[in-house]
């Protein structure tokens, strides 16, 4: 295991690249905002999850343990809109909950398949919002006790005038905030138009939970605060999400959690994408990381080199007397690689160090073959870089995840009696060289032709 390496990340709170000093030495707690499961994830969402996976893998490869929580938002306005449209007006609460669960179960499964297909490491915890309602209610009650929340017509609102530091993450101009701009639109009366909703009173045709304020459901922002505090605790090292979540979602998460705790909740807010603040770019990692994924040639080069290193080398050491020690070169490349990764995940420079080493060692191997021990050391470095990028030896895993996802699509098509679609998916699998065997019990096994 490699020694613990210090890693610095761009912190949206400070707008600088700061060292991440974990609250528990050697262990990173990380909360990432997960999907709202009413549709398939789009590429913009998946880019964020890829970036977060890169960040997590870097900490793991640097020797840390990572406790990672990613929520599944399975109750929210759009989910209710889409799941309730075919439910009869006379339906009771239980039927409404069932319709909502049917929709969210389907898209949660699709989302988890996407993560597997992208070889994204599974989080330690994936709580569903609907399973954490009691925690949300007690959080809102605590905010009420502290004078930071007030009920109005069965809903509950956050009183942002009560929290002087509100707006610090997004660097809002409190005085200049326009009433009604960029805040949750809601028809209920609030003390101030800037106050946001914590608990929403139910409207006809919506599923609801019991609460001290009557029938209702949680607001979206309170979900993350409650789940994060429940699973990772009162202090968290890193909180991450898409850059579009900085305001209002993350600002409101801070208001809720810190308003309740009375101290800092999250040390590093990491967004990892281009964000223009006062015309300044905040971070660069993601765009460059994407170009790696697109770069088939770069991957091929690493694969070819890896294969070469797996082959037998020379047995003698003597020939190296006059040559530069390949192990010293390797050590320098490893240092350069880690220096770059530790600097806000500077992937272009890290990969440059890797490719320089490949060019170097290829040239040396042409002249005098590397020994087995040297080859093993090189393979160790390739394993280390692969633990972070997770791209090159996982083709089969990714292909298997794609097959599984298509089989699931076919199962759903058959269940919906959409035979044309089921046949279409079967043909698609056939074209990929996959042969399906339908079993009597309804399950499907598959093999490659
Ligand atoms: Zn969130």
């Amino acid at each position: 295991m490699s020694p613990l390496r210090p890693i610095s990340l761009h912190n949206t709170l400070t707008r600088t690249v700061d060292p991440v000093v974990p609250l528990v030495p050697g262990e990173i707690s990380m909360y990432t905002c997960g999907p709202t499961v009413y549709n398939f994830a789009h590429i913009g969402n998946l880019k964020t999850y890829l970036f977060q996976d890169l960040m997590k893998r870097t900490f793991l490869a640097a020797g840390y343990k990572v406790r990672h929580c990613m929520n599944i938002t399975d109750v929210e306005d759009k989910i209710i809109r889409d799941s309730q449209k075919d439910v009869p007006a006379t339906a009771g609460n239980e039927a409404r909950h069932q319709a909502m669960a049917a929709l969210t179960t389907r898209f949660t499964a699709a989302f988890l398949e996407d993560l597997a297909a992208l070889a994204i490491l599974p989080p330690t915890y994936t709580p569903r919002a609907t399973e954490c309602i009691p925690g949300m209610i007690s959080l809102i009650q605590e905010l009420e006790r502290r004078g930071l929340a007030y009920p109005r017509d069965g809903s509950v609102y956050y009183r942002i005038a009560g929290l002087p530091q509100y707006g610090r993450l997004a660097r809002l101009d409190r005085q200049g905030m326009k009433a009604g701009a960029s805040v949750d639109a809601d028809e209920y009366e609030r003390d101030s138009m800037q106050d946001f909703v914590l608990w929403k009173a139910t409207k006809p045709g919506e599923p609801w939970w019991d609460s001290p304020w009557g029938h209702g459901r949680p607001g979206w922002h309170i979900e993350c605060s409650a789940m994060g505090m429940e699973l990772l605790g009162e202090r968290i090292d890193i909180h991450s999400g898409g850059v579009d979540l900085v305001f209002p979602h993350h600002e409101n998460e801070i208001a809720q959690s810190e308003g309740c705790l009375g101290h800092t909740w999250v040390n590093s807010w990491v967004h990892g994408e281009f964000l223009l603040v006062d015309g300044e770019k905040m971070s660069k990692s993601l765009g460059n990381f994407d170009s790696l994924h697109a770069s088939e040639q770069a991957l091929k080069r690493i694969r070819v080199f890896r294969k070469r290193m797996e082959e037998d080398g020379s047995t003698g050491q003597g020939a190296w007397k006059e040559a530069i020690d390949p192990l010293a070169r390797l050590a320098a490349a490893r240092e350069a690689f880690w220096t770059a990764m530790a600097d806000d995940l500077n992937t272009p420079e890290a990969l440059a160090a890797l490719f320089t080493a490949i060019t170097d060692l290829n040239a040396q191997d042409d002249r005098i073959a590397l020994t087995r021990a040297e080859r093993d050391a090189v393979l160790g470095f390739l394993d280390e870089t692969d633990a972070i990028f997770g791209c090159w030896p996982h083709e089969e895993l990714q292909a298997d995840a794609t097959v599984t996802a298509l089989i699931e699509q076919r199962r759903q098509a058959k269940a919906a009696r959409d035979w044309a679609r089921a046949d279409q998916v079967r043909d698609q699998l056939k074209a990929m060289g996959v042969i399906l065997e339908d079993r009597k019990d309804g399950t499907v096994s598959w093999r490659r032709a």
Side-chain angles (χ1 to χ4, degrees):
M1 199 64 210
S2 54
L4 225 54
R5 294 175 186 271
I7 306 286
S8 295
L9 294 174
H10 187 277
N11 187 351
T12 306
L13 207 54
T14 59
R15 304 292 198 268
T16 53
V17 176
D18 304 332
V20 176
V21 183
L23 295 151
V24 177
E27 188 178 305
I28 296 287
S29 53
M30 178 168 122
Y31 186 94
T32 58
C33 292
T36 299
V37 283
Y38 70 102
N39 205 337
F40 295 106
H42 63 71
I43 190 70
N45 306 138
L46 294 174
K47 276 165 82 171
T48 300
Y49 302 126
L50 275 170
F51 165 75
Q52 290 160 347
D53 189 56
L54 172 79
M55 173 164 69
K56 176 172 161 183
R57 284 168 178 271
T58 302
F59 278 104
L60 288 170
Y64 299 81
K65 279 187 194 163
V66 178
R67 284 199 305 137
H68 175 202
C69 179
M70 185 190 67
N71 66 292
I72 305 280
T73 293
D74 61 351
V75 51
E76 182 267 355
D77 292 352
K78 293 185 286 298
I79 289 174
I80 292 175
R81 179 197 67 198
D82 288 6
S83 67
Q84 305 300 315
K85 57 176 185 261
D86 298 327
V87 179
T90 52
N93 192 35
E94 199 175 323
R96 299 210 171 272
H97 273 280
Q98 276 170 7
M100 186 162 74
L103 180 89
T104 58
T105 305
R106 178 179 168 220
F107 287 113
T108 301
F111 172 72
L112 296 175
E113 281 162 18
D114 285 345
L115 295 194
L118 291 166
I120 287 175
L121 298 176
T124 323
Y125 316 105
T126 37
R128 270 66 167 172
T130 54
E131 292 167 1
C132 304
I133 304 291
M136 297 169 200
I137 290 176
S138 33
L139 210 165
I140 298 169
Q141 287 179 305
E142 180 60 26
L143 290 171
E144 271 190 318
R145 272 192 289 276
R146 289 172 176 255
L148 288 168
Y150 58 92
R152 194 61 43 95
D153 301 330
S155 292
V156 185
Y157 294 91
Y158 193 100
R159 189 193 311 280
I160 70 165
L163 195 80
Q165 67 265 41
Y166 187 85
R168 199 156 61 101
L169 181 75
R171 305 232 164 150
L172 300 179
D173 172 6
R174 286 284 291 274
Q175 304 304 320
M177 268 179 79
K178 294 246 167 45
S182 306
V183 293
D184 296 304
D186 210 282
E187 65 193 54
Y188 301 105
E189 279 300 309
R190 282 167 276 176
D191 283 358
S192 156
M193 279 305 283
Q194 294 156 9
D195 291 350
F196 62 90
V197 71
L198 297 164
W199 184 264
K200 295 186 173 189
T202 193
K203 293 178 202 155
E206 292 181 347
W208 48 261
W209 283 265
D210 261 328
S211 83
W213 313 281
H215 294 168
R217 62 190 161 91
W220 173 44
H221 310 304
I222 200 75
E223 296 184 6
C224 281
S225 278
M227 287 184 271
M229 287 161 72
E230 193 166 320
L231 289 155
L232 295 178
E234 297 189 353
R235 293 182 191 271
I236 297 177
D237 294 308
I238 297 172
H239 193 314
S240 179
V243 73
D244 52 325
L245 299 188
V246 173
F247 186 79
H249 185 55
H250 288 164
E251 193 69 60
N252 290 353
E253 278 192 48
I254 293 176
Q256 294 160 159
S257 299
E258 299 194 355
C260 171
L261 295 167
H263 61 68
T264 300
W265 182 42
V266 171
N267 284 341
S268 304
W269 285 90
V270 179
H271 294 95
E273 289 163 70
F274 286 118
L275 176 60
L276 292 171
V277 175
D278 301 332
E280 261 180 72
K281 275 177 190 163
M282 288 175 51
S283 190
K284 59 194 177 308
S285 314
L286 187 66
N288 296 317
F289 177 57
D290 278 1
S291 63
L292 167 74
H293 272 269
S295 178
E296 267 304 308
Q297 248 188 328
L299 295 183
K300 196 175 163 199
R301 211 170 136 215
I302 295 167
R303 274 186 219 122
V304 170
F305 177 67
R306 182 178 189 103
K307 207 157 182 304
R308 180 175 186 166
M309 289 297 107
E310 281 166 353
E311 287 162 5
D312 286 342
S314 75
T315 48
Q317 288 278 8
W320 286 108
K321 273 179 193 161
E322 288 167 58
I324 295 168
D325 182 0
L327 289 179
R329 291 203 170 202
L330 187 66
R334 179 180 268 131
E335 258 337 283
F337 177 86
W338 274 106
T339 302
M341 287 311 288
D343 178 18
D344 195 26
L345 313 180
N346 188 339
T347 52
E349 266 188 51
L351 289 170
L354 173 64
F355 285 111
T356 304
I358 290 176
T359 306
D360 243 22
L361 294 166
N362 261 330
Q364 293 207 20
D365 199 45
D366 285 343
R367 277 161 46 217
I368 309 162
L370 270 65
T371 65
R372 185 66 261 155
E374 287 156 354
R375 283 162 193 269
D376 286 345
V378 172
L379 287 172
F381 179 48
L382 292 181
D383 283 347
E384 207 172 322
T385 58
D386 179 56
I388 293 176
F389 293 108
C391 290
W392 20 99
H394 295 291
E395 283 160 288
E396 277 194 14
L397 264 180
Q398 291 182 26
D400 285 2
T402 308
V403 169
T404 314
L406 283 168
I407 290 174
E408 176 58 21
Q409 282 180 28
R410 178 166 164 270
R411 192 190 63 75
Q412 284 177 8
K414 285 171 81 172
R417 303 190 161 265
D418 184 351
W419 310 117
R421 172 70 188 144
D423 287 349
Q424 190 189 8
V425 176
R426 173 180 275 268
D427 290 347
Q428 197 180 341
L429 284 161
K430 198 173 164 189
M432 291 164 64
V434 172
I435 296 169
L436 297 181
E437 281 155 21
D438 288 304
R439 296 217 189 95
K440 276 186 188 150
D441 63 359
T443 61
V444 179
S445 68
W446 65 275
R447 60 187 167 83
R448 294 193 193 281

